[in-house]
Amino acid sequence: MARKAPAEDPAQDDPKVALPKHAAAGLPALLHTTTMATAQMGAARSVRTLLKLNQPDGFDCPGCAWPEPDHTHTAEFCENGAKAVAEEATLRRIGPEFFAEHSVADLADRSGYWLGQQGRLTTPMLLDQDATHYTPIGWDAALTLVADELKALDTPNAAAFYTSGRTSNEAAFAFQLFARQLGTNNLPDCSNMCHESSGSALTETIGIGKGSVSLKDLYQADLIIVAGQNPGTNHPRMLSALERAKRAGARIVSVNPLPEAGLERFRNPQNARGLVGAGTKLTDLFLQIRLGGDLALFRALNLLLLKAERKEPGTVLDHAFIAEHCHGFAEFAADAETTDWAAVLAATGLPEGQIRELAALALESKRIVVCWAMGLTQHKHAVPTIREVVNFLLLRGNIGRPGAGVCPVRGHSNVQGDRTMGIFERPGKPFLDALGKEFRFEPPREHGLDVVDTVRGMRDGKVRVFFAMGGNFVSATPDTAVTEAAMRRCRLTVHVSTKLNRSHVVTGARALILPTLGRTDRDRQSSGPQQVTVEDSMGMVHASRGALRPPADDLLSETAIVCGLARRTLGPGNTVPWEDFTADYGNLRDRIARVVPGFEDFNDRIKQPGGFALPHGPRDTRAFPTATGKANFTVNPLTAPEVPAGRLLLQTLRSHDQYNTTIYGLDDRYRGITDGRRVVLLHPDDAAEHGLAEGDHTDLVSEWTDGSTRRAPHFRVVHYPTTRGCAAAYYPETNVLVPLDSTADTSNTPTSKSVVIRFAEDSGAEAVGP
């Protein structure tokens, strides 16, 4: 029996506030998981579904990309993974009657939380030009409509094809193949907004834009530095790996402007010690850094390592590794010696003694892993920061050594796999050559549009058709008002989705919602049951098999939608056997195996439990496919955000009841906040300096170097132990504060972690949009 969604859209501006927690998971997480899963799926369905989650014969979590261990636990999932599954496997349904009851204008006034709670989409829906309501449309008519719009474009580059990280390898490969057969590289994806800075920095320095460690490396590490990341909320299963590393003797250092409960103490719900005991203390040293100070921190660490080497020659640096495998050491070392300690202390906000304590830990450790997430990647100087992290690891040979390496922790469950499959606006020549040879066509070579440039293209009238494979583009992107106005300039917007979100109600002249199978759903094609594959954030590829009856009998999979659209758009003379790909995804995997290195014998290798590891030259053989043929030391001038007097630096972040733009609930349990999201976290002394008391409401105004400002109304002030001079608030509510043109150098990633703000008189609850 279907569970009912909330009828009312709750206010989110006056939450209850308690003290932050100092431990994560444990019995409260288990109880919260059970409550939420049962509310969405019912008790029996919850048990049956969750016991298949992340199992070798089950389906991959639609949440984060954290890898599965060699030996999975019976309950191999975390609280947030269970929330993601409950949202997808919900018994709630949205059919044509829902859209007949609610106009688009009505839905546009609802919050993203309310929209997401309504349930699974079941029927293709069309919003025709000048219409007020979506109406049902058949699958053939819907795909033909899209094909006709694409064929009518003056140039293929007037279309953009966006991809969410939840898309399978098979659907992603078919999607990019279709776009390139059409004639464009306009393939923006969610990586552009999160780890693009990691990919840019790592490609330049070690030759491959992925992490170099496996779970086994974490277990073998002597020192693990977790910088700009909150595993307890964003990658909770990572805490199990950190606990295992800790018990094997690793020391863990947390670098973050906010204290995070999961990194303080972990109560593992998979054992009695975690459920009813004290759990495991994880962090040995907490560096509460100023926002954007990480480049300065790693420069200082590198200077201290060089000084230690001078003091005791031959005992600190890995000279053999540097001589054989590295380039640019002399230039890097000379620049490092110019590091200004006063500038370091100002940028980091840290006591010098703490920095020296971390350096001492590094000197005592033979094997070091550095993990990071958006706290490092979403600054203007994000790419230099990550290059400096690589410098730190290269100095002592900590890449290509067991127990050591770079570990960018990816978010969405297959965001790394999508990029491997060719979802990239700037593809390399080898990939395009292989793709063209396999399918007998000449792929476009001109670079396409990333996310930010796609918004600019829509804004300027150059992109007329926007097609999204999953995701919530409008809520994920910066500069909300600009993005929404740009989307409305399109001739047609199309969203392949499992559930309703904000992007479905901010539309072009015409709009389509194409419902699709989720990760949890059974996928049966003409050849029989299908499986798909995903790649986790450590380069392991494995199969995923849905187990549940789909919400509607005629739902199409993402792969079937892409292939069906391609047939209608490209015509019968096309060189790609789209029908064969739909009938049996194994046919598609055979072709992937001939195009993408590392996927040889693809269909056979996914039969092995746990899947297979993709090759990684720096990790496997210390081979670095860079421009120099070696790992590159780089020179990265010390820089940090400049904050004028009377202003603070704001970071956007997730709540615990949230995954990216999907809002599961209105609580942030570990930070002590319940029943609301419109909050700004301030150090009590900063609040006092600005005349703000706990519980006051204020508007946030961002200020930019070009003189422009943005305003986000009506945020409740919450006293919080954040770094002085730094504030925090949730996205997507604060995306409006980040201008489209404020992006990281090189990667073009929005600078959502370094927003200069001031406070303004509260505009009131009536000023708050959806």
Side-chain angles (χ1 to χ4, degrees):
M1 183 176 69
R3 265 63 181 171
K4 290 186 177 181
E8 300 300 323
D9 198 344
Q12 302 180 28
D13 60 347
D14 194 21
K16 303 177 184 68
V17 178
L19 292 175
K21 307 293 184 184
H22 295 284
L27 187 59
L30 184 62
L31 295 174
H32 196 71
T33 297
T34 303
T35 300
M36 185 166 284
T38 302
Q40 292 274 7
M41 298 186 287
R45 184 179 172 95
S46 294
V47 173
R48 186 170 70 251
T49 304
L50 292 177
L51 291 181
K52 285 287 188 181
L53 179 54
N54 294 322
Q55 298 298 325
D57 62 343
F59 61 91
D60 194 73
C61 181
C64 81
W66 191 253
E68 279 72 69
D70 291 339
H71 302 288
T72 56
H73 190 277
T74 303
E76 190 58 57
F77 56 86
C78 65
E79 179 185 342
N80 274 9
K83 291 175 187 174
V85 169
E87 288 265 315
E88 181 174 288
T90 181
L91 291 169
R92 300 170 186 170
R93 301 288 182 262
I94 298 178
E97 68 286 348
F98 173 88
F99 291 99
E101 180 183 352
H102 297 283
S103 68
V104 173
D106 173 25
L107 295 175
D109 285 337
R110 307 287 185 147
S111 70
Y113 167 69
W114 187 90
L115 293 173
Q117 288 296 306
Q118 301 311 302
R120 285 289 297 274
L121 295 158
T122 61
T123 308
M125 303 298 297
L126 168 67
L127 181 70
D128 219 337
Q129 190 159 356
D130 299 323
T132 59
H133 290 66
Y134 277 100
T135 56
I137 183 175
W139 276 107
D140 184 69
L143 295 178
T144 298
L145 187 157
V146 181
D148 289 346
E149 284 282 359
L150 291 172
K151 288 187 285 188
L153 294 173
D154 294 334
T155 168
N157 289 323
F161 298 90
Y162 175 74
T163 315
S164 158
R166 287 172 62 169
T167 304
S168 70
N169 286 329
E170 290 76 9
F173 186 85
F175 198 48
Q176 63 82 29
L177 177 59
F178 166 54
R180 292 184 168 115
Q181 284 248 322
L182 185 68
T184 185
N185 282 314
N186 288 350
L187 287 156
D189 76 322
C190 56
S191 279
N192 298 147
M193 292 178 285
C194 54
H195 270 288
E196 198 66 60
S197 297
S198 300
S200 297
L202 294 177
T203 298
E204 178 184 352
T205 55
I206 66 172
I208 183 169
K210 302 180 182 183
S212 67
V213 302
S214 66
L215 278 178
K216 185 182 294 186
D217 290 312
L218 282 180
Y219 304 152
Q220 296 174 348
D222 300 318
L223 175 64
I224 301 171
I225 300 174
V226 182
Q229 187 196 356
N230 175 18
T233 285
N234 300 337
H235 308 90
R237 285 194 303 138
M238 181 178 176
L239 297 179
S240 298
L242 293 178
E243 179 185 49
R244 181 169 170 180
K246 184 80 173 184
R247 292 186 176 176
R251 286 169 294 187
I252 297 173
V253 175
S254 304
V255 183
N256 207 321
L258 298 173
E260 299 292 3
L263 284 170
E264 290 186 55
R265 185 172 293 275
F266 174 47
R267 292 174 176 155
N268 192 334
Q270 295 179 345
N271 58 53
R273 174 186 170 89
L275 281 176
V276 298
T280 302
K281 181 179 182 296
L282 292 181
T283 294
D284 296 281
L285 176 64
F286 173 40
L287 273 61
Q288 192 165 11
I289 198 166
R290 282 180 58 84
L291 281 165
D294 304 273
L295 171 57
L297 171 63
F298 279 94
R299 270 192 67 111
L301 292 175
N302 291 336
L303 173 63
L304 292 172
L305 293 180
L306 290 168
K307 286 187 172 181
E309 171 68 22
R310 282 207 310 272
K311 185 176 180 180
E312 298 184 50
T315 65
V316 175
L317 304 187
D318 190 334
H319 290 284
F321 172 78
I322 292 170
E324 182 177 355
H325 296 291
C326 298
H327 172 269
F329 172 76
E331 294 83 356
F332 152 77
D335 178 73
E337 294 288 355
T338 69
T339 300
D340 182 342
W341 267 102
V344 167
L345 300 180
T348 63
L350 296 171
E352 183 176 339
Q354 277 198 341
I355 300 174
R356 292 185 179 278
E357 187 177 355
L358 175 53
L361 289 175
L363 287 168
E364 296 168 4
S365 304
K366 181 175 177 58
R367 297 162 296 190
I368 302 175
V369 173
V370 181
C371 306
W372 70 86
M374 270 75 84
L376 264 62
T377 66
Q378 292 182 328
H379 297 276
K380 183 170 179 57
H381 59 294
V383 173
T385 298
I386 297 165
R387 290 196 303 236
E388 198 66 22
V389 170
V390 175
N391 287 341
F392 169 71
L393 292 169
L394 293 179
L395 282 173
R396 306 196 72 208
N398 276 307
I399 293 181
R401 169 187 294 160
V406 290
C407 184
V409 183
R410 307 276 177 170
H412 257 144
S413 61
N414 196 42
V415 63
Q416 186 159 295
D418 286 355
R419 183 58 57 87
T420 303
M421 291 295 105
I423 300 292
F424 191 33
E425 74 280 357
R426 293 176 283 119
K429 184 177 183 297
F431 177 84
L432 292 179
D433 288 347
L435 191 72
K437 179 180 178 182
E438 178 64 27
F439 294 102
R440 305 191 310 280
F441 79 110
E442 179 52 42
R445 303 285 169 158
E446 178 186 2
H447 287 173
L449 304 178
D450 64 9
V451 164
V452 168
D453 286 333
T454 294
V455 176
R456 291 171 179 151
M458 293 189 292
R459 176 197 65 190
D460 299 340
K462 296 177 180 178
V463 172
R464 308 299 293 149
V465 175
F466 177 84
F467 192 108
M469 184 66 68
N472 182 1
F473 188 86
V474 164
S475 293
T477 44
D479 219 343
T480 307
V482 170
T483 295
E484 293 192 355
M487 189 71 76
R488 291 188 170 104
R489 291 205 66 190
C490 288
R491 203 160 67 196
L492 175 67
T493 51
V494 186
H495 295 275
V496 178
S497 305
T498 57
K499 297 178 65 204
L500 197 62
N501 64 50
R502 177 74 181 162
S503 294
H504 301 129
V505 298
V506 179
T507 72
R510 291 198 293 176
L512 279 168
I513 300 173
L514 303 180
T516 190
L517 296 177
R519 194 74 61 76
T520 58
D521 299 323
R522 290 195 301 265
D523 185 352
R524 177 176 286 275
Q525 302 298 333
S526 61
S527 68
Q530 302 298 308
Q531 60 186 341
V532 295
T533 60
V534 297
E535 178 187 345
D536 64 37
S537 63
M538 293 182 177
M540 291 293 297
V541 177
H542 59 271
S544 177
R545 307 165 187 84
L548 300 178
R549 180 176 178 176
D553 291 337
D554 64 344
L555 274 192
L556 298 184
S557 69
E558 290 179 329
T559 302
I561 290 171
V562 172
C563 294
L565 176 59
R567 288 198 309 270
R568 289 166 175 82
T569 306
L570 302 174
N574 189 249
T575 61
V576 180
W578 300 106
E579 295 90 345
D580 294 345
F581 290 171
T582 303
D584 186 343
Y585 303 166
N587 295 327
L588 187 50
R589 285 189 288 271
D590 283 339
R591 308 300 283 271
I592 292 171
R594 296 203 286 266
V595 172
V596 184
F599 284 83
E600 298 79 12
D601 301 319
F602 194 178
N603 278 308
D604 288 334
R605 292 165 73 198
I606 59 171
K607 295 175 184 176
Q608 58 195 51
F612 61 93
L614 292 176
H616 190 291
R619 177 196 64 209
D620 300 337
T621 62
R622 286 187 159 174
F624 297 94
T626 64
T628 63
K630 294 187 175 184
N632 291 316
F633 280 97
T634 52
V635 172
N636 305 293
L638 197 160
T639 185
E642 295 183 6
V643 184
R647 306 298 188 259
L648 295 179
L649 203 60
L650 176 81
Q651 66 169 326
T652 68
L653 44 68
R654 301 172 183 160
S655 74
H656 189 62
D657 271 359
Q658 174 181 1
Y659 195 77
N660 292 344
T661 59
T662 302
I663 313 300
Y664 304 130
L666 302 181
D667 298 348
D668 196 358
R669 193 169 72 248
Y670 297 146
R671 296 189 180 111
I673 298 167
T674 55
D675 295 330
R677 291 181 50 82
R678 295 195 74 84
V679 298
V680 57
L681 309 181
L682 297 177
H683 191 284
D685 293 344
D686 285 327
E689 282 188 10
H690 289 271
L692 296 170
E694 168 76 45
D696 284 351
H697 284 81
T698 183
D699 285 6
L700 309 180
V701 179
S702 64
E703 299 180 338
W704 300 91
T705 54
D706 63 0
S708 67
T709 61
R710 304 288 191 280
R711 192 174 187 122
H714 197 55
F715 281 75
R716 185 197 189 280
V717 173
V718 174
H719 286 175
Y720 202 81
T722 184
T723 303
R724 285 295 311 272
C726 299
Y730 304 130
Y731 70 83
E733 290 84 353
T734 48
N735 287 356
V736 65
L737 297 172
V738 185
L740 189 66
D741 294 332
S742 180
T743 60
D745 295 336
T746 305
S747 69
N748 211 30
T749 295
T751 58
S752 300
K753 293 297 183 286
S754 49
V755 183
V756 174
I757 62 165
R758 59 179 169 84
F759 302 106
E761 183 178 355
D762 177 31
S763 297
E766 63 277 2
V768 176

